[in-house]
Amino acid sequence: MKTVTRSIAFSATLAAGLVLSGAALAQQPIVVKFSHVVAPDTPKGKGAEKFKELGEKYAAGKVKIEVYPNSQLYKDKEELEALQLGAVQMLAPSLAKFGPLGVKEFEVFDLPYAFPSKEVLTKVTSGPVGKNLLTKLESKGIIGLAYWDNGLKIFSSNKPLKGPGDLKGQKLRIQQGSKVLEAQIRALNALPQGMAFSEVYQALQTGVVDGTENPPSNMFTQKMHEVQKYAALTNHGYIGYAVIVNKKFWEGMPADVRAALEKAMAEATVFANDVAQKDNDDALAAIKASGKTEVYQPTKDEMDAWRKALLPVHKEMEARVGKEAIEMVQKVAAEMGYK
Ligand code: LMR
């Protein structure tokens, strides 16, 4: 067993012990550890805090929700292992990170320029495609509770960046595990480097990678703008999250407590999705105001060139994410008036 796995297994055993002694002392609150990799001051960070506030209130002392931001407990890959082993109970990984769990269809959300608007996205996540994806997690010992938004990604680099040709030959950090993101970077004739989120700042600073992609909120709160000279408002892809829990833990909770947490999750979801756009707008304004990254708005011709370079990824990745899911996204977009 790897050291990381061993230490997660050890914490899981400890956690199981705590659950047992918790059951013996009925008045002890049930502890929900919610681990995530971003800063508290982001849409996901704020959503997690809102869930803590509402969950503890509705469960009236029966639950204690501990939020661990910024990869404090685990990095991306480890947190999924930790959830399955029961060392933590709740996570909200980006939809790009479910491939290694064996549910590669989540990567439909990574397809470049697939979602013409937030309304299309919401219709997809709340419709059959979104629900079906969450159901697929159950065989992995996981229950999917909700989808949370972050926002649209922009590319950044240490070399001037306007059109898709400018990234040629560069090493670009992507989220670990997503084959769609790898294909997207290759479509730009660049080199994809999967890497944990917590390692990105240093990798950019030391030149291990030349650039990356993320919504402004993640870029600003991780200070990536301090180590990236250029960014282009490509808005080429989406980062959103699935809030997930350990199935055994969730189903083992007293029904009234679970109902309280479900209510809290429904309200925290509305809250997180409401703050996401403004958070990203504010972060972009702050990046521009810092004067550290030159933020470029591509012209219409350049935007067409980005699309032309990246859209072939849809066909290329059809076998991975499923033709049906891609067609469903296109159908929803068409029904909502997008061509
Ligand atoms: C990333 O790794 O870039 C993002 O998935 C981080 C996050 O959770 O938003």
Side-chain angles (χ1 to χ4, degrees):
M1 215 187 323
K2 284 192 309 216
T3 320
V4 169
T5 315
R6 205 181 300 129
S7 86
I8 294 172
F10 179 65
S11 328
T13 314
L14 271 184
L18 290 176
V19 169
L20 276 185
S21 53
L25 301 165
Q27 68 274 35
Q28 291 295 311
I30 298 169
V31 175
V32 180
K33 290 190 177 171
F34 187 153
S35 166
H36 69 83
V37 299
V38 295
D41 193 17
T42 55
K44 175 160 64 180
K46 290 177 185 171
E49 285 302 331
K50 180 56 88 180
F51 173 69
K52 170 181 167 63
E53 175 200 323
L54 297 175
E56 290 182 350
K57 181 167 119 193
Y58 296 151
K62 292 187 186 161
V63 170
K64 186 164 180 287
I65 299 168
E66 296 174 356
V67 180
Y68 297 94
N70 269 326
S71 310
Q72 243 170 54
L73 287 185
Y74 301 108
K75 296 187 205 174
D76 301 296
K77 273 190 191 161
E78 299 159 14
E79 70 173 14
L80 279 164
E81 268 177 64
L83 183 82
Q84 287 182 297
L85 288 165
V88 294
Q89 289 70 41
M90 193 173 274
L91 310 172
S94 126
L95 302 171
K97 293 176 183 168
F98 286 85
L101 264 187
V103 197
K104 49 197 190 319
E105 296 90 336
F106 272 101
E107 290 172 23
V108 73
F109 294 102
D110 293 338
L111 289 171
Y113 296 113
F115 298 91
S117 73
K118 169 120 182 271
E119 288 67 37
V120 173
L121 247 161
T122 309
K123 191 118 194 249
V124 171
T125 49
S126 60
V129 171
K131 291 200 174 113
N132 184 30
L133 283 176
L134 294 185
T135 311
K136 285 191 178 198
L137 295 171
E138 296 203 12
S139 64
K140 317 286 169 195
I142 292 171
I143 289 185
L145 296 178
Y147 287 99
W148 286 1
D149 270 331
N150 187 337
L152 295 177
K153 293 179 288 186
I154 62 177
F155 276 117
S156 63
S157 170
N158 273 324
K159 298 188 185 144
L161 182 54
K162 292 184 171 174
D166 295 332
L167 289 172
K168 189 173 171 192
Q170 294 190 33
K171 277 192 237 146
L172 302 177
R173 181 269 171 178
I174 53 167
Q175 301 174 80
Q176 274 167 325
S178 170
K179 295 287 178 220
V180 170
L181 294 182
E182 278 181 35
Q184 174 199 261
I185 301 301
R186 290 218 178 84
L188 298 169
N189 298 309
L191 305 162
Q193 303 274 315
M195 187 183 291
F197 186 62
S198 56
E199 291 164 7
V200 182
Y201 176 88
Q202 212 187 352
L204 290 169
Q205 189 187 36
T206 56
V208 167
V209 291
D210 305 298
T212 188
E213 53 164 12
N214 238 303
S217 147
N218 276 350
M219 188 172 175
F220 183 68
T221 51
Q222 297 298 318
K223 300 190 168 43
M224 292 178 204
H225 65 292
E226 292 181 0
V227 286
Q228 290 281 262
K229 292 200 182 78
Y230 303 93
L233 301 177
T234 45
N235 292 335
H236 59 280
Y238 171 72
I239 287 197
Y241 310 104
V243 186
I244 56 177
V245 280
N246 178 295
K247 185 169 188 282
K248 226 179 186 167
F249 171 80
W250 194 248
E251 290 175 345
M253 251 188 311
D256 63 325
V257 177
R258 196 169 50 243
L261 294 188
E262 275 165 358
K263 179 167 146 72
M265 182 51 66
E267 291 175 25
T269 298
V270 172
F271 173 84
N273 291 345
D274 273 356
V275 298
Q277 184 62 51
K278 183 171 180 328
D279 254 42
N280 276 295
D281 292 346
D282 290 351
L284 182 59
I287 292 170
K288 287 180 179 167
S290 78
K292 297 200 162 128
T293 306
E294 198 177 307
V295 179
Y296 180 72
Q297 172 64 62
T299 61
K300 186 180 172 308
D301 283 354
E302 283 159 349
M303 282 306 269
D304 287 346
W306 281 105
R307 278 206 181 78
K308 191 159 174 245
L310 294 176
L311 282 175
V313 172
H314 291 212
K315 188 86 198 142
E316 192 188 331
M317 287 289 114
E318 203 175 81
R320 179 151 176 101
V321 303
K323 198 170 177 194
E324 217 179 301
I326 297 182
E327 283 175 355
M328 179 62 81
V329 173
Q330 287 165 347
K331 189 164 159 250
V332 169
E335 278 167 9
M336 296 180 90
Y338 295 95
K339 290 210 181 108

